[in-house]
Amino acid sequence: ESTNADLSFVTTSDVVQEFIADVVPTQTPEEYLNKQSLLRDGKATVAAVLLFADEPQGIIPKHCGIKVYRFKTTATEGLRETEAFIPKTVEGCLYKQIRAAVSLTKELIQEIPKMGLGSEFESVEYPQKTLHEFITNAVIHRDYSITDDIHIRIFDNRIEFQSPGKLPANMTIKNLTIQRAARNGAIQRILNKFKDPPNRDVGEGIKTATNAMTSAG
């Protein structure tokens, strides 16, 4: 789907300049984006904006950010009176957004106290792989036509990741760890081309995340 964004948002951005220098230094940004079908009728597509605009949220507002909450409770629902702070917003291109959201979530989790083996409190820990995979999965596979952000809710006893949209194609709750389906194929494929990519593009993210939690007990 095309946007009304001028090509300069994705052909002269800092993000695309870094990407071209790392991945295809022999091409110009416009040449590369055209070859990847990320430009249409002289306009940037949604995928191009999400991947290569420095501030996609200014072009596609309320469709592509991440909200991070911290609720000081184990209740089934987080209410305003249990919020540790006003929810934080993570923005930017998808590549940087994933890294920033993982870092922020990890930082907030480490502030949750739990009783250790002795009488002293220690920090709660979740596997880094699990946090990274679930956030990456939400960013890659969410439905970008829905006017909503991704929501990460950190409770005293759990973390909830809410990704806008229903499960794509043939995916169900039961086959999440054994089947794969790409709602946003261009995003999934091109994110994997970035330096130190957040995804492997082989469909094992959910399985990796759940295995890491199992190993952690």
Side-chain angles (χ1 to χ4, degrees), residues 77-146:
E77 185 178 357
L79 302 176
R80 181 169 293 187
E81 52 263 31
T82 62
E83 285 183 349
F85 46 77
I86 296 173
K88 298 179 182 292
T89 302
V90 179
E91 297 185 336
C93 71
L94 299 189
Y95 178 75
K96 295 183 178 180
Q97 194 178 131
I98 290 171
R99 290 174 174 270
V102 171
S103 178
L104 175 59
T105 303
K106 184 177 180 180
E107 176 186 325
L108 294 174
I109 289 169
Q110 290 174 340
E111 296 175 359
I112 303 174
K114 73 170 183 177
M115 186 63 71
L117 295 177
S119 58
E120 295 184 355
F121 284 98
E122 57 187 40
S123 296
V124 170
E125 291 186 12
Y126 286 83
Q128 173 79 8
K129 283 184 179 179
T130 296
L131 300 178
H132 177 88
E133 293 296 344
F134 273 116
I135 291 172
T136 300
N137 186 280
V139 167
I140 289 176
H141 296 297
R142 62 152 293 175
D143 186 342
Y144 283 101
S145 70
I146 295 176

Side-chain angles (χ1 to χ4, degrees), residues 5 17 43:
Q17 298 295 337
K43 297 290 184 181

